């Protein structure tokens, strides 16, 4: 089955740095979601986006719904140790209930 | 509010054996999902239930996988017989409303290793 392309695949950053990651698709989506997954746990929803061009924040996290409807972006400002994990994007097409997940971006914070 | 419960958390079996996973969704959630997450990949939907009816099982390998949600509450996913490529984390999620896919809440998953 299709998976959305996420980049980068992994990131190694220092505490306090800002983080940017993106998710792209060859298909148009009408909903974009960003999840975080920690070891041994299921994904937890961070931000949901429903409109092209929409910019939504959740604390230090900001996500954007690309205007082409084929991409989305997630930024984390001033990273802290608890930001460590794998970040997944997920999209839903119009008229289809199923979520398609990305390949994930693994974030590691170097002490 | 209690979250989605799954058991067992870990299972190791040999190929060609059978295995079953159990999921208890959040109380009152009508929609239940089973996902397969292979190491290094995102979750892939296997089957979606609305109450005790199947909404989507298009990606379920029906020759070896089966799932049921007889009373519209908890659910079991079975693999018989298991293959090496079935090694993965099996995630259960539930949602109060099938129209709002963004309201899915995931359980901790069952990690299956097939030897």
């Amino acid at each position: 089955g299709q998976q959305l392309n996420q980049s980068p695949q992994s990131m190694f950053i220092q505490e306090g740095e800002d983080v940017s990651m993106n998710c792209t698709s060859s298909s148009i989506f009408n909903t974009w979601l960003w999840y975080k997954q920690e070891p041994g746990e299921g994904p937890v929803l961070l931000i949901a986006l429903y409109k092209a061009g929409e910019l939504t924040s959740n604390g230090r996290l900001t996500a954007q719904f690309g205007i082409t409807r084929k991409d989305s972006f997630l930024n984390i400002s001033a990273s802290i140790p608890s930001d460590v994990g794998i970040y997944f994007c997920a999209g839903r097409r119009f008229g289809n209930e199923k979520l398609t997940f990305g390949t994930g971006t693994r974030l590691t914070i170097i002490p | 509010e209690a979250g989605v419960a799954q058991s067992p958390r870990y299972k190791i079996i040999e190929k060609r054996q059978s295995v079953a996973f159990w999921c208890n969704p959040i109380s009152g959630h009508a929609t239940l999902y089973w996902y397969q997450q292979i190491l290094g990949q995102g979750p892939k939907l296997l089957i979606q239930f609305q109450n005790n009816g199947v909404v989507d099982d298009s990606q379920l390998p029906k020759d070896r996988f089966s799932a049921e949600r007889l009373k519209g509450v908890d659910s079991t996913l079975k693999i018989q017989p298991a293959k090496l490529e079935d090694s993965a984390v099996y995630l259960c999620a539930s949602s109060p409303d099938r129209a709002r896919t963004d309201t899915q809440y995931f359980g901790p998953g069952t990690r299956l290793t097939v030897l």
Side-chain angles (χ1 to χ4, degrees):
Chain A
Q2 178 194 9
Q3 292 225 308
L4 303 174
N5 296 315
Q6 283 188 247
S7 66
Q9 187 174 7
S10 60
M11 303 182 72
F12 296 84
I13 63 169
Q14 290 191 323
E15 184 177 350
E17 288 186 16
D18 295 344
V19 172
S20 293
M21 61 188 78
N22 66 68
C23 183
T24 61
S25 169
S26 57
S27 303
I28 290 175
F29 288 88
N30 74 319
T31 300
W32 284 97
L33 308 170
W34 284 92
Y35 288 86
K36 178 187 177 186
Q37 187 173 27
E38 298 184 19
E41 301 296 329
V44 175
L45 181 67
L46 300 173
I47 294 179
L49 302 159
Y50 302 103
K51 188 177 178 181
E54 180 181 357
L55 192 70
T56 298
S57 294
N58 178 5
R60 294 177 297 105
L61 278 62
T62 302
Q64 185 165 20
F65 193 138
I67 57 174
T68 66
R69 294 180 173 268
K70 292 183 179 181
D71 54 12
S72 181
F73 310 89
L74 177 69
N75 295 313
I76 305 173
S77 62
S79 58
I80 60 177
S82 61
D83 292 333
V84 166
I86 303 177
Y87 291 79
F88 289 100
C89 63
R92 185 177 66 175
R93 294 187 185 86
F94 180 79
N96 189 332
E97 298 177 27
K98 186 170 68 179
L99 285 182
T100 300
F101 279 82
T103 49
T105 293
R106 181 183 294 274
L107 179 63
T108 302
I109 296 182
I110 306 167
Chain B
E1 178 182 74
V4 176
Q6 290 188 246
S7 68
R9 293 297 309 275
Y10 306 92
K11 189 73 175 179
I12 300 174
I13 62 172
E14 295 188 346
K15 60 182 179 182
R16 291 188 289 273
Q17 285 188 323
S18 302
V19 64
F21 313 127
W22 175 81
C23 171
N24 191 24
I26 293 173
S27 178
H29 282 197
T31 311
L32 185 146
Y33 311 82
W34 282 102
Y35 288 87
Q36 180 192 58
Q37 185 175 23
I38 293 173
L39 185 65
Q41 297 182 19
K44 183 186 81 171
L45 180 69
L46 293 176
I47 189 167
Q48 175 184 344
F49 290 95
Q50 177 70 13
N51 296 311
N52 61 350
V54 175
V55 173
D56 183 352
D57 63 356
S58 58
Q59 296 194 96
L60 186 74
K62 299 180 186 63
D63 58 333
R64 297 184 300 106
F65 286 64
S66 64
E68 60 183 15
R69 192 185 184 200
L70 293 176
K71 296 182 179 179
V73 181
D74 55 353
S75 175
T76 55
L77 176 69
K78 298 179 182 177
I79 308 175
Q80 180 180 9
K83 293 185 175 181
L84 296 177
E85 59 261 36
D86 298 333
S87 293
V89 174
Y90 291 85
L91 294 164
C92 179
S94 70
S95 173
D97 182 352
R98 64 183 277 189
R100 292 292 306 275
T101 316
D102 55 308
T103 56
Q104 289 186 43
Y105 297 87
F106 285 84
T110 297
R111 180 177 296 277
L112 173 67
T113 302
V114 182
L115 303 175

